[in-house]
Amino acid sequence: MSNATTNKSKKLTNPTETEKSNGSDEKSQENDITIALAGNSNVGKSVLFNELTGSNQIIGNWPGKTVERAEGKLLFEGKEITVIDLPGIYSFSTYSMEEIVSREYIAFEQPDVVINVVDASVLERNLFFTIQLKEMKVPMVVCVNQIDLAKQKGIVIDTERLSAALGVPVVATVAIRGEGLHELMEVATEVALNKSKNKITTLKYGAEVEDRIQRITQLIESKNLNLGYPSRWVAIKLLENDPEIRKLIESKSMQIVNSAYDMAREIESIHNEPSFAVIASERYFIANQFANGAQLQSDIKITFAERLDKLVTHRIFGYVISALVVGGLLLWTFIVGDFFSSLLTQAFGFFKPVDPQVSGPIVGILWNGAFGGIVAGVTLVLPFVIPFYLMLSLIENSGILTRVAFMMDSAMHKIGLHGKALIPMILGYGCNVPAIESTRILETRRERLLAAFAITFAPCAARTIVILGLVAVFVSVWWAIALYVIDIAVMFLLGRIALKIVPGETSGLIMEMHTFKVPSISVAAKQTWSRTKSLIYVVFPVYIIGSALIQGLFAYGFLTPVANFLAPITVVWLGLPVIAGVVLIFGAVRKEFTLLMLVALFGTNLAAVLTPIQFIILALVSMLFIPCLATLTILLREFGWKATSSIALANIVTALIVGGIAYRIIGIFM
């Protein structure tokens, strides 16, 4: 971040390379700072993270956890800053792995400063979590983000008054435009470097609650337990009956646990409510006071975003818009992908050879296959995957995706799910693995299992490669769209069947919808690249090496016996070439292998060996067939071998039945 950026509302630029060239690599470790970004979902935290760190990011999982960890670096005024983007959460309870990961990181890793990102337009609701961060006694800066959207609603935030109430620095930002980020980093680094001088004030609750918090705190401190967590925070968690904290203290002192239990019962008898609800009410009361004291009302105008929100959630037009959003996403992918695929195919037409070689020296066979894999990856993968991920990011960041989920709630109930399940199902169109992991946002195992079952039929990016690479390129875009329609119908029908088989009740929908906003192109581009690069790193080597190996195996006759054994199914029932059996088996390892093997064996001009109806049937069966090994692995981890086996068997049976029926019906018209 350049020192020349003195205007506090000026857009943040990515200065990493510039500052590195000025020799700042030689700074001592004393200047290294770790910042954690914490806050609710949909407050612009990820946008802030992307604006600060640019492309200098590492995305992985927390050690021993399935929760995603995002870490990035930047240089600011000679200091190397590591930024950790904690999962979006609403409390430090133990209801989700994200909440446990966040509180353990803050308590045990002890970042130099926590930037608590809050949404200016819903300040009171966000301050509920801010108060919990205060209870953790961490060096903190509050980032009041999206102040532009708040002003559109007639809300102006007095940051100085809010800072005085909270006892921590407060900075206003518009992260999507980079406004206020320089001031935010100035304040954050100052807090991080002067932790010993920062007096962390304690927020007091009502008398009957506060008295018991202090008594438990004193008891904890008298035992010298070295818990890692602040004693006052532990006392509050014991009163809330937090199971993890209760278990931690039980191993050290049952006296504290019993005393806390008795005091929690006393609070419940006074308020005639569970103790955790009483403490939550106390936090909301304080949050309400702080928010009301800091909010200045201006002229309220009905904004375009509010009008759009009413239209998108309208009881009639909302369904039309939801269908247009999902359909538009797919149609955009088909049209744009087909256009770029044609351009790249023509460009690669100048390179020879690209046709398969199944005789001659082994080196020539392998090289020919490897080059064919490169051509297939460039012409059949990238043109379709990149437009899909780009548009998905724009829809996701604009706020439309959550509205679509809300509108689809009643329809999703028909298969035992609610609208929130639509989000992982749409993510399944990118990749089934993270989509199945994201089913954890659902409340019950039954809902997660039903959603995961439906997701295994969602055409992921790999299946999309097969559909578009076979059907959109060699038959027509409209037949590719028809396959998606068939897939949705199959998902709905099987979902209804699974609903009858899997016992249990469907819960209602509780989901926050953040304000509509214009998505950041740069943020969407970074998310697109983050999602695409893993595909490139994995798929391209697989295409190159796999294509060479498959061509070699075929040239030396290893695949023929397998193909002949499966011929009664592939040839007689499905109407496909003999080699299709081996193609489907390879596709069960990774779905791209279906297309990869065909290219390796027959070259990129597949129209010479397959008829239009065979293109359609092969793509359809591959789309519904057993999920890839990575998907089966995540299913096994999340649900066990019985559920995984049942889902895999349902995929195989469905693919073969639907494929055979489709072959006979489509054959009438083609």
Side-chain angles (χ1 to χ4, degrees), residues 389-577:
Y389 278 139
L390 177 62
M391 185 57 67
L392 179 63
S393 296
L394 292 173
I395 292 173
E396 199 174 4
N397 295 330
S398 67
I400 293 176
L401 192 58
T402 51
R403 269 82 179 174
V404 172
F406 172 76
M407 292 307 302
M408 295 301 294
D409 184 48
S410 58
M412 297 294 286
H413 270 282
K414 301 296 183 183
I415 56 174
L417 300 171
H418 52 56
K420 197 189 295 186
L422 187 69
I423 295 175
M425 288 179 71
I426 290 179
L427 291 177
Y429 281 77
C431 180
N432 287 179
V433 175
I436 290 172
E437 285 185 332
S438 69
T439 59
R440 293 173 181 173
I441 66 174
L442 304 178
E443 282 68 22
T444 67
R445 185 183 187 277
R446 175 180 181 272
E447 290 177 350
R448 292 178 56 228
L449 182 59
L450 289 172
F453 175 61
I455 287 169
T456 60
F457 289 97
C460 61
R463 284 164 163 159
T464 298
I465 291 169
V466 176
I467 294 169
L468 302 181
L470 293 179
V471 180
V473 173
F474 294 105
V475 185
S476 76
V477 167
W478 299 109
W479 270 110
I481 295 175
L483 289 184
Y484 278 88
V485 174
I486 293 172
D487 181 72
I488 292 172
V490 169
M491 289 171 66
F492 184 83
L493 177 61
L494 293 178
R496 291 290 295 172
I497 296 172
L499 176 62
K500 302 296 183 182
I501 297 174
V502 181
E505 297 293 331
T506 303
S507 62
L509 173 64
I510 301 175
M511 182 173 60
E512 180 179 2
M513 294 190 289
H514 64 79
T515 307
F516 268 123
K517 57 189 176 185
V518 177
S520 167
I521 299 296
S522 63
V523 171
K526 290 169 186 174
Q527 289 179 335
T528 300
W529 168 241
S530 178
R531 289 166 170 168
T532 305
K533 68 181 180 182
S534 60
L535 190 68
I536 294 174
Y537 294 160
V538 173
V539 171
F540 268 68
V542 165
Y543 262 62
I544 295 168
I545 298 172
S547 183
L549 290 177
I550 290 170
Q551 200 165 115
L553 289 171
F554 184 75
Y556 287 90
F558 291 106
L559 302 181
T560 304
V562 178
N564 292 335
F565 177 76
L566 296 174
I569 296 175
T570 55
V571 178
V572 178
W573 174 246
L574 297 176
L576 297 173

Side-chain angles (χ1 to χ4, degrees), residues 568-576 613 617 620 656-670:
I569 296 175
T570 55
V571 178
V572 178
W573 174 246
L574 297 176
L576 297 173
I613 190 172
I617 298 303
L620 176 62
L656 296 179
I657 291 175
V658 173
I661 294 173
Y663 168 62
R664 284 151 180 80
I665 294 176
I666 297 174
I668 298 173
F669 303 99
M670 294 187 69

Side-chain angles (χ1 to χ4, degrees), residues 74-87:
L74 75 151
L75 292 173
F76 177 71
E77 297 181 349
K79 305 171 186 64
E80 183 173 291
I81 299 176
T82 300
V83 183
I84 306 294
D85 185 13
L86 296 176

